[in-house]
Amino acid sequence: MAVDPILSSPLGPAACEKDAKALQFIEEMTRNADSVQERVLAEILSRNGQTEYLKRFKLEGSTDRETFKSKIPVIKYEDLQPEIQRIANGDRSAILSAHPISEFLTSSGTSAGERKLMPTIQEELDRRQMLYSLLMPVMNLYVPGLDKGKGLYFLFVKSETRTPGGLLARPVLTSYYKSEHFKTRPYDPYNVYTSPNEAILCADSFQSMYTQMLCGIYERKQVLRLGAVFASGLLRAIRFLQLNWHQLTHDIRTGTLSPKITDPSVRNCVADVLKPDPELADLVAGECSKDSWEGIITRIWPNTKYLDVIVTGAMAQYIPTLDYYSGGLPLACTMYASSECYFGLNLNPMSKPSEVSYTIMPNMAYFEFLPHEHSSIPLSRDSPPRLVDLAHVEVGKEYELVITTYAGLYRYRVGDILRVTGFHNSAPQFHFVRRKNVLLSIDSDKTDEAELQKAVDNASKLLREVNTSVVEYTSFADTKTIPGHYVIYWELLVKDSANSPSDELLGQCCLAMEESLNSVYRQGRVADNSIGPLEIRVVKSGTFEELMDYAISRGASINQYKVPRCVNFTPIMELLDSRVVSSHFSPALPHWTPERRR
Ligand code: AMP
């Protein structure tokens, strides 16, 4: 077939003229990665040269890379905390950015138990929108005919708060869905959702999910792709269907809407979709009442070509479950982004999850790479490490991502470890290796070793009244059930065997641990219902010694052996589980409110 020259692109023949422009843009950016980066840095520095932060380091108007690298320190969030706090408290002077900080984006990464606050400026919305606009043109290269149907995407807004100085603080996707960029997006036949905006924007997660599911079922034959941001979100939708299909099919049969949906704008918009359809209700009820839910996605949405969910990084643990429910549909990971900055996209979105690489778009920010072997060494001002530029990273090497953004982060360590897999033109492509210091994660929560230690310390205080202490512990993110939950294995020293801890007391220990964990964890438990109750499994005394023996038998050095604080290696799990004497669950929800603890 002859390809229209207007539509031809090195990435492949574009589906339409709009796509051709987007692919052309990707080509231009990736061919000129280094010069685009140079320009981006110069733009950021010239625009923000008079900010308090940059003046402190005496750039004296320089916008070149050498001066920048020699004068500006590489930092972490905690280094920026005083500036962030001042902005949060209402200081509107140009501290980090010459453009006014429009709001804070609350990251799922935490600092001292609270979400990190990332400054952003109004125009960043355009940059994010631009990256989104590149996703379908790339997908259309691989999956034809997506303009002939719709996408069922489970998208949600989360709660927002204001800082003491009055700035909004909310997650980046909440900010995006509430923006005019999203709400009044022009019609694009390749990007039509079954979920009405009103349902996506409904802050009540039950009503939002219910409505999105209902609309998605009505349009079951039109649905060509199904997605959520992360794999955990899509599985939560499946679980929701398991719990609510009786009510959903009742509504479909009768053409009425459950009284649980009280939001007037949601009720209004569903009225357009809702009509009695007993045949559809029978079909869905028939599928949902079968014993096995294997392949349920394609049974209900038979024309689905792929699932659009992130399954890289911590989300890889959900691949087998997604395969089960979808009968092995392709999994597309389309983009790599964060609250700090949107980074890039996957130019080969139908690749296997283990082979996914993201191409960082050089126009999004200025990117540097800290060779990973250095990233565990504290950075000193006297001997700054050599950070590598985007176009100069080496294939096969691992780096920590360091960014300088238009919104006022300068040489900021994101904490993600990436491995270079190749290049598209002169832009490198990266495999997401992992986020640093994450021990446990179920949804967007990230619990590190210190947080787990603190939680165990706090909980074990409750055991003092029965003269018992925790001798050793380890943990495991159990994602076999939906939602997943944290499992903590405890080996106890019960000093008075007539007075061993009761089930109730150990349940209280579970809750005490949850109370100690960070706010993203507690929000997942309380507001999003994305994390199940924490479980303590008490193991027989001597179990951790056996664990050590096992590690040593596999070559660990006896002098250097340390108890792993998180396990996921099957033989170790089997050993631990075979020694469990009792298990206990958190009896209640921990405290969580949208407000930050001060
Ligand atoms: P947040 O700050 O809450 O927006 O989370 C951003 C973080 O999520 C990133 O820094 C990564 O650690 C992780 N993340 C985002 N996109 C991906 C992806 N495509 N694959 C793996 N991890 C991702």
Side-chain angles (χ1 to χ4, degrees):
M1 189 180 71
V3 174
D4 179 342
I6 301 175
L7 302 183
S8 82
S9 132
L11 286 161
C16 59
E17 247 178 80
K18 187 160 150 273
D19 283 13
K21 279 199 186 119
L23 299 177
Q24 186 56 38
F25 180 76
I26 295 174
E27 281 304 297
E28 262 167 48
M29 289 297 123
T30 53
R31 275 203 195 119
N32 305 306
D34 201 41
S35 56
V36 173
Q37 282 283 277
E38 192 167 19
R39 170 176 63 72
V40 166
L41 181 65
E43 264 173 32
I44 294 174
L45 296 182
S46 55
R47 171 201 287 200
N48 292 333
Q50 292 309 308
T51 57
E52 183 186 319
Y53 187 83
L54 285 182
K55 280 203 321 213
R56 193 182 303 162
F57 299 106
K58 307 214 167 1
L59 274 179
E60 317 287 2
S62 305
T63 62
D64 63 289
R65 291 193 243 208
E66 287 69 63
T67 317
F68 174 72
K69 285 171 189 270
S70 66
K71 296 200 168 172
I72 307 293
V74 177
I75 57 159
K76 289 187 171 163
Y77 182 79
E78 286 67 26
D79 300 310
L80 215 51
Q81 188 99 55
E83 286 78 10
I84 301 272
Q85 203 53 55
R86 278 171 56 206
I87 299 170
N89 289 343
D91 190 335
R92 295 281 179 275
S93 61
I95 299 174
L96 295 172
S97 160
H99 286 216
I101 301 298
S102 52
E103 60 184 309
F104 279 114
L105 302 176
T106 53
S107 165
S108 60
T110 55
S111 173
E114 293 295 329
R115 287 173 177 271
K116 292 176 184 169
L117 293 174
M118 296 301 167
T120 192
I121 55 177
Q122 192 60 33
E123 67 169 42
E124 277 296 303
L125 267 170
D126 301 333
R127 242 170 240 117
R128 284 180 214 126
Q129 170 95 338
M130 193 280 308
L131 194 65
Y132 282 127
S133 75
L134 304 177
L135 303 182
M136 286 315 289
V138 172
M139 188 54 88
N140 292 335
L141 294 170
Y142 294 89
V143 185
L146 291 175
D147 56 335
K148 307 290 183 292
K150 298 187 178 183
L152 166 50
Y153 282 77
F154 295 96
L155 306 176
F156 300 93
V157 295
K158 293 196 181 189
S159 60
E160 51 191 43
T161 51
R162 286 197 184 266
T163 66
L167 279 175
L168 269 177
R170 55 189 178 178
V172 62
L173 289 172
T174 301
S175 163
Y176 181 67
Y177 299 145
K178 289 191 168 181
S179 72
E180 292 307 313
H181 289 67
F182 179 77
K183 286 194 290 190
T184 57
R185 61 197 183 278
Y187 174 79
D188 173 354
Y190 290 94
N191 214 2
V192 183
Y193 297 152
T194 56
S195 296
N197 282 0
E198 291 82 352
I200 296 172
L201 293 170
C202 174
D204 180 297
S205 62
F206 177 89
Q207 296 186 47
S208 175
M209 178 77 95
Y210 191 93
T211 316
Q212 298 193 50
M213 188 62 85
L214 191 66
C215 296
I217 294 176
Y218 269 108
E219 302 209 66
R220 61 184 282 272
K221 293 219 177 108
Q222 274 83 275
V223 170
L224 302 182
R225 53 204 171 103
L226 223 109
V229 178
F230 290 113
S232 53
L234 187 53
L235 288 171
R236 201 154 71 243
I238 303 291
R239 179 72 190 143
F240 186 91
L241 184 60
Q242 277 175 342
L243 296 174
N244 294 284
W245 64 265
H246 286 283
Q247 181 71 48
L248 285 159
T249 51
H250 170 271
D251 289 4
I252 296 170
R253 190 177 309 283
T254 56
T256 56
L257 185 59
S258 159
K260 286 188 189 159
I261 309 305
T262 53
D263 184 317
S265 68
V266 173
R267 288 197 73 90
N268 242 340
C269 77
V270 179
D272 301 339
V273 180
L274 211 60
K275 55 178 184 307
D277 190 341
E279 212 177 304
L280 175 62
D282 283 346
L283 183 140
V284 175
E287 292 303 341
C288 292
S289 55
K290 286 186 182 150
D291 282 343
S292 164
W293 271 50
E294 189 168 3
I296 192 76
I297 292 180
T298 40
R299 286 196 262 141
I300 295 189
W301 294 280
N303 299 319
T304 315
K305 298 178 188 229
Y306 66 93
L307 302 184
D308 189 345
V309 275
I310 292 178
V311 286
T312 41
M315 290 293 149
Q317 60 188 338
Y318 293 108
I319 294 172
T321 320
L322 283 174
D323 285 345
Y324 176 81
Y325 287 124
S326 76
L329 280 177
L331 298 167
C333 299
T334 57
M335 74 190 270
Y336 171 42
S338 76
S339 316
E340 292 90 329
C341 172
Y342 278 23
F343 306 123
L345 75 172
N346 179 357
L347 294 180
N348 186 7
M350 300 308 272
S351 52
K352 282 201 295 199
S354 57
E355 288 165 14
V356 166
S357 290
Y358 299 101
T359 305
I360 289 188
M361 288 299 284
N363 59 318
M364 298 303 287
Y366 179 64
F367 299 101
E368 293 176 276
F369 297 85
L370 179 61
H372 184 42
E373 62 270 29
H374 291 297
S375 67
S376 55
I377 307 168
L379 299 182
S380 98
R381 284 271 188 87
D382 310 327
S383 55
R386 260 184 47 79
L387 267 61
V388 182
D389 276 326
L390 182 68
H392 299 133
V393 294
E394 290 175 49
V395 173
K397 291 213 167 140
E398 290 189 1
Y399 300 91
E400 183 183 338
L401 180 62
V402 176
I403 55 171
T404 296
T405 66
Y406 285 89
L409 299 175
Y410 305 95
R411 312 197 88 192
Y412 176 92
R413 296 172 71 170
V414 174
D416 287 349
I417 307 295
L418 309 175
R419 183 171 56 247
V420 186
T421 54
F423 280 80
H424 178 74
N425 296 323
S426 60
Q429 304 186 293
F430 296 93
H431 174 71
F432 181 92
V433 178
R434 63 189 171 87
R435 186 162 172 117
K436 279 170 67 181
N437 303 330
V438 177
L439 202 63
L440 289 166
S441 172
I442 295 286
D443 187 28
S444 54
D445 54 303
K446 301 168 176 62
T447 296
D448 69 21
E449 200 166 324
E451 289 170 317
L452 181 64
Q453 174 75 45
K454 193 177 106 216
V456 170
D457 286 349
N458 284 345
S460 55
K461 283 183 195 144
L462 300 180
L463 296 175
R464 283 190 201 147
E465 64 180 68
V466 290
N467 213 1
T468 296
S469 55
V470 178
V471 187
E472 270 306 353
Y473 70 92
T474 188
S475 67
F476 166 60
D478 186 348
T479 52
K480 285 193 282 291
T481 51
I482 310 172
H485 70 290
Y486 288 11
V487 174
I488 318 296
Y489 293 92
W490 269 9
E491 183 172 323
L492 299 178
L493 179 62
V494 183
K495 288 166 201 142
D496 172 4
S497 59
N499 191 15
S500 57
S502 63
D503 175 53
E504 195 195 338
L505 182 61
L506 285 159
Q508 289 306 320
C509 289
C510 294
L511 185 56
M513 286 184 100
E514 296 200 298
E515 293 287 8
S516 305
L517 293 171
N518 67 45
S519 73
V520 177
Y521 174 89
R522 286 178 284 112
Q523 183 172 6
R525 282 281 286 129
V526 176
D528 305 344
N529 197 17
S530 59
I531 307 175
L534 183 143
E535 179 183 2
I536 289 177
R537 292 184 191 159
V538 177
V539 293
K540 268 194 216 148
S541 93
T543 301
F544 279 83
E545 220 172 298
E546 285 187 69
L547 210 68
M548 178 174 80
D549 292 344
Y550 180 80
I552 288 164
S553 74
R554 288 178 50 95
S557 141
I558 199 160
N559 295 322
Q560 289 171 330
Y561 176 78
K562 287 191 207 70
V563 176
R565 290 305 178 206
C566 182
V567 292
N568 54 16
F569 181 54
T570 310
I572 297 215
M573 309 291 313
E574 283 170 359
L575 191 157
L576 283 166
D577 281 329
S578 69
R579 304 295 187 272
V580 170
V581 288
S582 61
S583 78
H584 314 268
F585 287 89
S586 191
L589 292 174
H591 289 95
W592 176 81
T593 62
E595 276 70 46
R596 303 168 68 79
R597 286 179 183 163
R598 288 184 231 294

